[in-house]
Amino acid sequence: MKRRHFLKNAALSGAGVAVGSTLLSCADNDKKVETSVATPTPNSKASLPLVIATWHVKEATAKAWEVLQAGGNALDAVEQGCMVEEANEKGQSVGKGGLPDRDGHVTLDACIMDKHGNCGSVVFLENIVHAVSVARKVMEDTPHVMLAGKGAEQFALEQGFKKENLLTEASKKAWEEWKVNSEYKPIINIENHDTIGMLAIDKNGDISGACTTSGLAYKMHGRVGDSPIIGSGLFVDNEIGACVATGLGEEVVKTVGSFLVVELMRQGKTPQEACEEAISRIVNKPNSNYKDFQVGYIAVNKQGETGSYSIHQWFSMTKYQDGVNEQIQSDFFNKS
Ligand code: SD4
């Protein structure tokens, strides 16, 4: 099925609030993808460094790769990689240019986690482009893990971040069009890429991860998704591996998805198997309406094996390893 048709059908089948940008993305770029579905890399030590990210974000992985190649650490790599998408106004689900909530506010969620298990997070942050960097500051310069809303913004400004309006003309226009018929029916957006989650292993074999998003388009004002919730949107355990999620955050939170994937890897599953199991926990719930939403996971283990899996077709992972920056289509659950 063509992706646009799939999206339309998904929209018609109806969910609750607008599931906007989470459903699926990469519409136009997907046509150019030549690689087939993700398969786990051989069970030998993979070549390092490596970086993987959700969706089609080759510029972001290229930035992270540059950092890693220069001997930089995984934490710097994932932060700088995510910053590329935050600054990209064309991406309507991350940073500047992100689609607003139903009241017209662009509110950002982001988190970051390092090899020591330290983490920082910002939720419901407004007026600051680089939410991932604010999350890193929370991790490194405060005794806390998470800052929200006005407090997060105040902290960012104190740290020297610039205040700017994140609502671009294009996103404002899309919101105004949405308002005409909204009534909280699902609106499916077709975009070039989506929430970015990134995981990297540096030359020392240390792992870090980050995740940044403007969340669901046209969400309720104040809504926070999975992306800034440690264990849901992102989890890193330097002894085992790491996972990051994309899609309908509510479903990820309910299953503590990223932590689950890492724990499954701890029990011996490959990243691919662990992602598949985490998706099966969602779709096999009694009364699951998984046909109406998308969730995707990407994961990496300490050996550098990677995996990705989603509920529906057209989720992809970008991977930069051995000098090759490639988009890999994910295998998916719903083949019907
Ligand atoms: C959220 N998980 O806010 C995020 C959105 C997302 O692909 O990942 N979109 O629920």
Side-chain angles (χ1 to χ4, degrees), residues 17-29:
V17 293
V19 290
S21 61
T22 49
L23 262 176
L24 294 164
S25 67
C26 307
D28 298 330
N29 292 321

Side-chain angles (χ1 to χ4, degrees), residues 200-271:
I201 310 187
D202 58 31
K203 287 181 177 171
N204 293 330
D206 290 320
I207 310 172
S208 292
C211 187
T212 180
T213 187
S214 52
L216 293 184
Y218 319 129
K219 60 197 174 186
M220 289 177 72
H221 187 56
R223 181 265 187 190
V224 170
D226 61 311
S227 304
I229 311 292
I230 299 298
S232 291
L234 171 74
F235 197 70
V236 176
D237 182 326
N238 198 39
E239 284 182 10
I240 303 297
C243 174
V244 68
T246 183
L248 185 60
E250 281 74 3
E251 295 297 323
V252 176
V253 169
K254 286 177 202 167
T255 48
V256 199
S258 293
F259 183 71
L260 174 62
V261 169
V262 173
E263 285 307 292
L264 289 166
M265 292 194 289
R266 187 191 304 278
Q267 290 164 23
K269 290 201 187 299
T270 63

